Amino acid sequence: MRYPVDRLHRFVVAVFTALDVPPEHADITARRLLEADLRGRTGHGLIRVPQYVPRIEQGGINVRPDVVVRRSTPVSGLVDGDNGLGQVVMTAATDQAIEKAEASGMGWVGTMRSNHAGAAGVYTGMAVERDLIAIYMAVASANVMPPWGGQEAILGTNPISIAIPAGEEPAFQLDIATTMASHGTIKVLAQRGESMPEGWVQDREGNPITDPSRADQGFLVPIGGYKGSGLNMAIGILAGVLNDAAFGSDVIDHRAVPGAAANTGQAIFVMRPDLLRDLDAFKGDMDRQLRELRSTGARGAVHIPGEGLDRLEAEIRSEGLAVGDTLVGQLQALASRFGLDDDLAG
Amino acid sequence: MRYPVDRLHRFVVAVFTALDVPPEHADITARRLLEADLRGRTGHGLIRVPQYVPRIEQGGINVRPDVVVRRSTPVSGLVDGDNGLGQVVMTAATDQAIEKAEASGMGWVGTMRSNHAGAAGVYTGMAVERDLIAIYMAVASANVMPPWGGQEAILGTNPISIAIPAGEEPAFQLDIATTMASHGTIKVLAQRGESMPEGWVQDREGNPITDPSRADQGFLVPIGGYKGSGLNMAIGILAGVLNDAAFGSDVIDHRAVPGAAANTGQAIFVMRPDLLRDLDAFKGDMDRQLRELRSTGARGAVHIPGEGLDRLEAEIRSEGLAVGDTLVGQLQALASRFGLDDDLAG
């Protein structure tokens, strides 16, 4: 079932305002969630609405946070999210990092007492639209993996996104979890009843698990073994420990404990490319390099991060966003419970 | 055969000064190379001396470079290495990034017209010693891999290093290539006559190659498939394209074309942790988190980047550095050719 993006936006705003989220915050959250869907990051889009609702209802998320800056220099900031919706807190952090980069060349802004903020690429995307380079890192909202060689899952999928502007070519936009698969992707497969490839999840004895509904019985596998495990820790430290946010066993599973504050940490670094090189020359060279990368394989075969995002967004805006039956059912239940005008029927 | 580190340092300085490298530059280069060996990054240590020599002799490396800053702000710099030894250029860049971070909170310094600079962790190590966070990225000095889905090798092993200070625990120090294996590691296996595990190198049809001497006939494999491929591109863009340094097909194989200037690019970002959090609180929390990570497995089983580096260095300084027969032979040939006082015999 496909729905117009504007209709889904109004629906999500209605859900959150019914839960006493201020309209401006509901609007930001709906935007960031749907931007994830528009980028094909389905696991971090609309599918998260039914997960956030119990956290709000049980007090795990503060709907009227006082988001404040705890530390600030011309090039850095620490945002205390007061346990608000992650999209609201990270949007504030991203706005500040962009402002600092435009004024001082670069800006690093960390968050503490934040929450799950959805797709990493949504935030770097806000910067790259303004011809800025951006790097985003986050402590994921559940532990799914031991450090390499360990047996207790105290690390999350800790994602990183790197966005770099180009000229006529689509901007380079990487958005990856540092595990072979992300929890969101696995959830989508589970909802669709599809199986996982080997190498995504393994049990304690190292045997592959391919049934996504059994993913919780095993550990996620990091990219590149000890390398991805180390990169995952570095991301968790820079986005978490450095901000006095949760890391390791302090990270709660935000869905399993909906009433508990998560103290999620994120970090975003934004930089002006013209610190190093004239912007137009850089963008022209980016075009040349991206075209060369694309030319190394058959048409459409080469995976260049960010390529196709514009086309996908245009297609979804024109044809509507496809929403699976399970999710439609969950959203309709919310509409009924909150007495919303639009129950997504028809 | 084991040699005292000081003796090897004098030997390397003697080789480079025999080639008209100024004593100060020879000293810096010898230090950085041996620091790689002291960290167990054998592929980027002494083994590189016989590779640099023909590049110097054939004009691929400029022994008396005028290393200058092309662009500079309080938080950024672009270093033009004038085709000098990579260790000399990157040491200058790192010193500047540290200076900027100490004065302004953070510093991003890129290099152009640099050369192979050895182990990534050596440069972040210089910053972490001063309680600073550092991230280093480099365009590797040979293309070994196509972008994911492509068929032409126009990407290198593009490494990243991330170093983060701790208190009583060893600093966190990640130093990884974004391929499953690095060229340096493969060279060491080849010299030792050992084979590679499957998954490091594959031929054009995707079949594994396990003989390290046949590695040139295949492509290296990125960590995590399209994820590592994307991360590799991001590193190459930020360390190369952003600095007007070589990327893609502009990268030459520095060993295969010893007479050609490489225009190698690197980037280092250094940041003061106390921008976000009191230094002592941060370091204390790092200790706690590193201990927790270690506690998730049997003694010595958990891979925590940076752990064991101090012990390894102490052991090598006390017992001497083990140098393989092939390399000893190559170094002795250089000693004989340049008429050095020490020919590493006995």
Side-chain angles (χ1 to χ4, degrees):
Chain A
M1 182 77 189
R2 283 181 177 267
Y3 295 91
V5 174
D6 287 351
R7 183 177 175 192
L8 292 171
H9 181 269
R10 283 192 301 272
F11 180 86
V12 175
V13 168
V15 168
F16 287 122
T17 49
L19 287 159
D20 202 31
V21 173
E24 192 197 334
H25 288 186
D27 178 64
I28 289 171
T29 307
R31 273 178 204 278
R32 297 290 102 83
L33 287 169
L34 287 163
E35 281 165 8
D37 283 310
L38 288 165
R39 287 167 172 264
R41 311 300 291 186
T42 326
H44 289 291
L46 206 56
I47 201 172
R48 297 288 179 162
V49 174
Q51 291 172 18
Y52 291 174
V53 169
R55 284 191 55 73
I56 292 174
E57 291 186 314
Q58 295 178 45
I61 291 176
N62 174 9
V63 290
R64 295 189 171 267
D66 186 17
V67 179
V68 294
V69 178
R70 287 240 173 269
R71 290 188 177 218
S72 181
T73 76
V75 290
S76 67
L78 174 65
V79 170
D80 179 341
D82 194 22
N83 201 28
L85 280 156
Q87 282 80 1
V88 171
V89 180
M90 259 314 299
T91 298
T94 304
D95 286 343
Q96 282 186 38
I98 289 173
E99 206 173 288
K100 287 171 196 291
E102 288 182 339
S104 306
M106 59 186 66
W108 177 297
V109 178
T111 68
M112 64 180 296
R113 299 175 73 217
S114 179
N115 274 291
H116 182 268
V122 163
Y123 301 100
T124 53
M126 288 167 66
V128 85
E129 265 180 18
R130 302 172 79 129
D131 278 343
L132 297 163
I133 291 167
I135 303 176
Y136 168 91
M137 295 175 278
V139 182
S141 296
N143 284 330
V144 292
M145 178 170 86
W148 194 250
Q151 287 290 326
E152 281 171 59
I154 62 165
L155 295 171
T157 52
N158 299 359
I160 184 168
S161 173
I162 302 177
I164 307 169
E168 295 169 7
E169 292 293 321
F172 178 93
Q173 297 193 68
L174 179 72
D175 179 356
I176 57 170
T178 45
T179 46
M180 290 298 290
S182 75
H183 211 77
T185 307
I186 292 172
K187 287 193 77 64
V188 171
L189 288 186
Q191 284 205 354
R192 288 185 189 154
E194 295 173 16
S195 70
M196 303 183 290
E198 290 191 10
W200 282 18
V201 179
Q202 60 188 29
D203 65 20
R204 276 162 195 281
E205 285 74 43
N207 304 310
I209 294 177
T210 57
D211 175 356
S213 68
R214 287 186 54 229
D216 290 347
Q217 296 165 33
F219 297 139
L220 292 193
V221 177
I223 57 173
Y226 76 93
K227 295 186 177 190
S229 173
L231 187 60
N232 181 294
M233 288 179 210
I235 292 168
I237 292 167
L238 294 176
V241 184
L242 186 58
N243 303 335
D244 204 2
F247 177 81
S249 62
D250 295 337
V251 172
I252 60 161
D253 181 338
H254 69 142
R255 295 164 302 134
V257 199
N263 189 17
T264 300
Q266 290 109 359
I268 187 159
F269 173 70
V270 179
M271 182 170 71
R272 284 170 52 167
D274 64 358
L275 293 180
L276 281 304
R277 197 173 170 191
D278 288 337
L279 182 63
D280 286 342
F282 175 60
K283 288 166 73 171
D285 211 12
M286 281 296 292
D287 285 348
R288 181 173 73 88
Q289 299 293 359
L290 293 170
R291 285 169 190 148
E292 181 179 80
L293 288 166
R294 188 185 305 129
S295 76
T296 63
R299 190 183 165 85
V302 180
H303 192 285
I304 299 174
E307 197 173 85
L309 287 186
D310 288 352
R311 272 197 307 275
L312 180 64
E313 174 167 350
E315 181 201 303
I316 296 173
R317 287 204 185 275
S318 140
E319 316 271 318
L321 179 69
V323 185
D325 292 344
T326 308
L327 181 53
V328 169
Q330 290 170 338
L331 296 174
Q332 286 180 325
L334 292 176
S336 155
R337 191 141 70 84
F338 298 138
L340 305 186
D341 293 342
D342 183 358
D343 66 356
L344 296 184
Chain B
M1 182 77 189
R2 284 180 178 267
Y3 295 91
V5 175
D6 287 352
R7 181 177 175 192
L8 293 171
H9 181 270
R10 283 191 302 272
F11 180 86
V12 176
V13 168
V15 169
F16 287 123
T17 48
L19 287 160
D20 201 31
V21 173
E24 192 198 333
H25 288 187
D27 178 64
I28 289 172
T29 306
R31 274 178 203 277
R32 298 290 101 83
L33 287 169
L34 287 163
E35 282 166 6
D37 281 310
L38 288 165
R39 289 169 170 261
R41 311 301 291 186
T42 325
H44 290 290
L46 206 56
I47 201 171
R48 296 289 178 163
V49 174
Q51 291 172 17
Y52 291 174
V53 169
R55 283 190 56 73
I56 291 174
E57 291 186 314
Q58 295 179 45
I61 291 177
N62 174 7
V63 290
R64 294 189 172 267
D66 186 16
V67 178
V68 294
V69 177
R70 287 240 173 270
R71 289 187 176 219
S72 181
T73 75
V75 290
S76 67
L78 174 65
V79 169
D80 179 341
D82 194 23
N83 201 28
L85 280 156
Q87 282 80 0
V88 171
V89 180
M90 257 315 298
T91 298
T94 304
D95 285 343
Q96 283 187 36
I98 288 172
E99 206 173 289
K100 287 171 195 290
E102 288 182 340
S104 307
M106 59 186 67
W108 178 297
V109 178
T111 68
M112 64 179 298
R113 299 174 73 216
S114 180
N115 274 292
H116 183 268
V122 162
Y123 302 99
T124 52
M126 290 167 66
V128 84
E129 265 180 18
R130 304 172 77 131
D131 279 342
L132 297 164
I133 291 168
I135 303 175
Y136 169 90
M137 295 175 279
V139 182
S141 296
N143 284 330
V144 292
M145 179 172 83
W148 194 248
Q151 287 290 326
E152 281 170 60
I154 62 165
L155 295 171
T157 53
N158 299 2
I160 183 168
S161 173
I162 303 178
I164 307 170
E168 295 168 6
E169 293 293 322
F172 178 94
Q173 298 193 67
L174 180 73
D175 179 357
I176 57 170
T178 45
T179 45
M180 290 298 290
S182 75
H183 211 77
T185 307
I186 292 172
K187 287 195 77 65
V188 171
L189 288 186
Q191 284 205 353
R192 289 185 187 153
E194 295 174 15
S195 70
M196 302 183 289
E198 291 191 10
W200 281 19
V201 178
Q202 60 187 29
D203 66 19
R204 276 162 197 282
E205 287 74 42
N207 304 310
I209 294 177
T210 58
D211 175 357
S213 69
R214 286 187 54 228
D216 290 348
Q217 297 166 32
F219 297 138
L220 292 193
V221 177
I223 57 173
Y226 76 93
K227 294 187 177 191
S229 173
L231 186 59
N232 180 294
M233 289 179 208
I235 292 168
I237 293 167
L238 294 176
V241 185
L242 186 58
N243 303 336
D244 204 1
F247 178 80
S249 62
D250 295 336
V251 172
I252 59 160
D253 181 338
H254 69 143
R255 295 164 302 134
V257 199
N263 189 17
T264 301
Q266 291 108 359
I268 187 160
F269 173 71
V270 178
M271 181 170 71
R272 285 170 53 167
D274 64 357
L275 293 180
L276 281 303
R277 198 174 169 190
D278 288 338
L279 182 62
D280 286 342
F282 175 61
K283 287 166 74 172
D285 211 11
M286 281 296 292
D287 286 348
R288 181 174 72 89
Q289 299 294 0
L290 292 170
R291 286 169 189 149
E292 181 180 80
L293 288 165
R294 189 186 304 130
S295 75
T296 62
R299 191 183 163 86
V302 180
H303 192 284
I304 299 174
E307 197 173 85
L309 288 186
D310 287 352
R311 271 197 307 276
L312 181 65
E313 174 167 351
E315 182 201 303
I316 295 173
R317 288 204 185 274
S318 141
E319 316 271 318
L321 179 69
V323 185
D325 291 345
T326 308
L327 181 53
V328 169
Q330 291 170 339
L331 296 174
Q332 286 180 325
L334 292 176
S336 155
R337 191 141 69 85
F338 298 139
L340 305 187
D341 293 341
D342 183 359
D343 67 356
L344 296 184

